[in-house]
Amino acid sequence: TSMLTGETFKELTPVFEDLAKEYAGRAVVLKIDFDKEVGLAEKYEVTGLPTVVFLKDGKLHGDKIIGAMERADYKARLDAMLK
């Protein structure tokens, strides 16, 4: 059970949609329903929502993020990964 409300997810959706557009062709931004994708939740040890993982060449890149962050923080992580 998530301690975050539906409002948190509603607030993050436009952030990730915007980042997906900004990084089109350089990065893929996906939203996954971990209730339906239990295998992925187990693989990435999802213990809280939202959980954000960064993958590069199919491998985890840096630490996963549990909880909401500011858009600039997600952007910084993407920029660092793409260097």
Side-chain angles (χ1 to χ4, degrees):
T1 303
S2 171
M3 294 178 63
L4 297 171
T5 66
E7 290 302 313
T8 302
F9 292 106
K10 288 179 187 174
E11 291 170 10
L12 287 177
T13 296
V15 169
F16 290 118
E17 288 174 350
D18 182 51
L19 289 170
K21 289 176 189 170
E22 183 175 341
Y23 287 88
R26 298 184 294 149
V28 177
V29 178
L30 301 171
K31 179 178 159 184
I32 297 170
D33 183 342
F34 284 118
D35 289 330
K36 294 180 181 174
E37 299 294 337
V38 176
L40 285 175
E42 290 173 356
K43 179 177 181 176
Y44 295 108
E45 300 176 348
V46 174
T47 58
L49 298 175
T51 294
V52 178
V53 295
F54 295 87
L55 303 173
K56 185 171 185 175
D57 300 323
K59 297 180 182 169
L60 193 61
H61 185 269
D63 295 329
K64 65 185 169 190
I65 299 168
I66 301 172
M69 292 175 40
E70 295 294 323
R71 181 190 185 284
D73 296 321
Y74 294 118
K75 185 173 171 22
R77 288 284 299 268
L78 283 166
D79 288 340
M81 183 180 74
L82 293 171
K83 285 186 178 182

